[in-house]
């Protein structure tokens, strides 16, 4: 018998990898992406600046993510993942701490750049890269579980913010930023330093699960150079970015309901609750989508498309009932989850694992670029043409995503034929 290339048991070291994925999404990523809206309601007034001026730091964050994605991808491929992720965590924690100390607008832009550089690895690359290396089977399920904690963390830290701030009668926002910095460091560094290795072989164990192809346990796939010559790469590149653009429609829910007239409920309160419902729903849906994508990425893709359409229609035409609006937000949560769960699984299925990080980092460039523009795009459409225009454009883009996805799956075999070790 030949030497074993995999194990059918999840050991302690495998569990530590999963726990690390959970902690960096629960801490650093959720603190950065899921709590800035709470600070937006307070910080601009404290600084004496316009809300748009303050919020531009989020745009800086997304743009730095986009521009640095290929560079960080190469760092993942060449260097110890512990060093890259630990440095990233320090950038996030350090960004929050800088804000707490200097209390000026310029430091928000600096911190945004620091966090954008860090989150490429922490949110977009770490979990998929570790799952692909450590788990031949159930990688999608584990990835969905880890990514679910961005939503769980968001719900948790927003409640912590409310408890600490207490409507201005508790801790000031600068002290809360210091707490955020300490939480980011505590929830990440002990795990990124001590609990992971890039591959299971480096940790003296084997990957979990039998490989889906007879590769002798080696990574197989297409090179990044060849991938970028394939039309399929650009189809995935486009639909991944458009999906992220569409997820940001959910940020418009409070403004949308506030614009409604002749409704019997508190429009703004319902809109805020819709965002909360969507956040909780997308956390659950990330796990569900990971499980389903392990079985069939194609069926999961069509399901995500359907929930996107249904969610938009329920929110658009369900204004006669709070329950319908909440239902629409919850359904849209499944589509929301597809950006960070389904897209990397599709990339792995089509392009393989040989140079996965390099390929996926290039795709995440466009994902983050549209993420940075998303809030401005949707706010402009809503403010200039009304929210029916927002939902109409969203439905059109969902159809574009469907067509690009169908093309990608239909031509996947032509790419897979070129896989090598």
């Amino acid at each position: 018998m030949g030497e074993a290339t995999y194990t059918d048991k999840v050991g302690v070291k495998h569990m530590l990898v999963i726990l690390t994925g959970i902690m960096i999404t629960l801490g650093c990523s959720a603190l950065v992406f899921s709590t800035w809206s709470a600070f937006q309601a307070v910080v601009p007034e404290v600084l004496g600046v316009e809300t748009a001026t303050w919020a531009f730091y989020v745009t800086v964050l997304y743009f730095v993510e986009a521009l640095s994605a290929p560079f960080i991808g190469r760092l993942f491929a060449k260097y110890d993942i512990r060093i890259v992720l630990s440095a990233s965590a320090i950038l996030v924690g350090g960004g929050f701490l800088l804000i707490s100390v200097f209390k000026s607008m310029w430091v928000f832009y600096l911190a945004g750049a620091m966090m954008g550089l860090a989150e490429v690895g922490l949110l977009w690359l770490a979990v998929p890269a570790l799952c692909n290396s450590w788990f031949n089977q159930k990688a999608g399920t584990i990835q969905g579980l880890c990514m679910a904690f961005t939503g769980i963390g968001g719900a948790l830290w927003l409640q912590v913010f409310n408890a600490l701030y207490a409507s201005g009668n508790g801790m000031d926002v600068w002290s809360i930023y210091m707490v955020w910095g300490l939480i980011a460091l505590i929830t990440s560094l002990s795990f990124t330093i001590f609990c992971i290795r890039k591959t299971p072989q480096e940790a003296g164990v084997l990957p979990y699960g039998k490989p889906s192809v007879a590769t002798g346990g080696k990574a197989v796939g297409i090179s990044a150079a060849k991938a970028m010559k394939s039309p399929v790469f650009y189809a995935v590149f486009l639909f991944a970015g458009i999906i992220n653009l569409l997820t940001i429609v959910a940020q418009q829910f409070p403004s949308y309901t506030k614009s409604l007239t002749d409704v019997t409920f508190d429009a703004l309160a319902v809109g805020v609750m819709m965002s909360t419902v969507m956040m909780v729903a997308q956390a659950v849906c990330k796990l569900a989508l990971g499980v389903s994508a392990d079985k069939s990425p194609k069926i999961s893709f069509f399901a995500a498309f359907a929930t996107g359409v249904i969610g938009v229609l329920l929110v658009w035409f369900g204004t006669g009932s709070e329950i319908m609006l909440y239902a629409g937000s919850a359904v849209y949560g499944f589509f929301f989850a597809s950006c960070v769960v389904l897209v990397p699984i599709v990339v792995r299925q089509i392009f393989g694992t040989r140079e996965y990080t390099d390929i996926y980092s290039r795709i995440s460039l466009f994902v983050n670029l549209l993420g940075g523009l998303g809030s401005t795009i949707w706010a402009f459409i809503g403010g200039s043409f009304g929210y029916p225009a927002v939902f109409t454009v969203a439905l059109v883009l969902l159809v574009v995503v469907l067509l690009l996805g169908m093309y990608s799956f239909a031509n996947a075999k032509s790419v897979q034929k070129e896989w090598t070790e």
Side-chain angles (χ1 to χ4, degrees), residues 289 292-303 342 345-347 349 409:
L289 188 58
S292 66
D294 268 336
K295 298 179 180 179
S296 175
K298 183 185 293 186
I299 292 176
S300 300
F301 173 82
F302 289 126
L342 182 59
I345 292 172
V346 171
V347 172
Q349 184 197 43
F409 285 115

Side-chain angles (χ1 to χ4, degrees), residues 205-230:
V205 297
L206 294 171
Y208 168 76
K210 184 177 181 180
S212 57
V213 291
T215 64
K218 297 180 180 179
V220 296
I222 192 171
S223 69
K226 280 188 175 181
M228 293 187 69
K229 295 178 182 179
S230 168

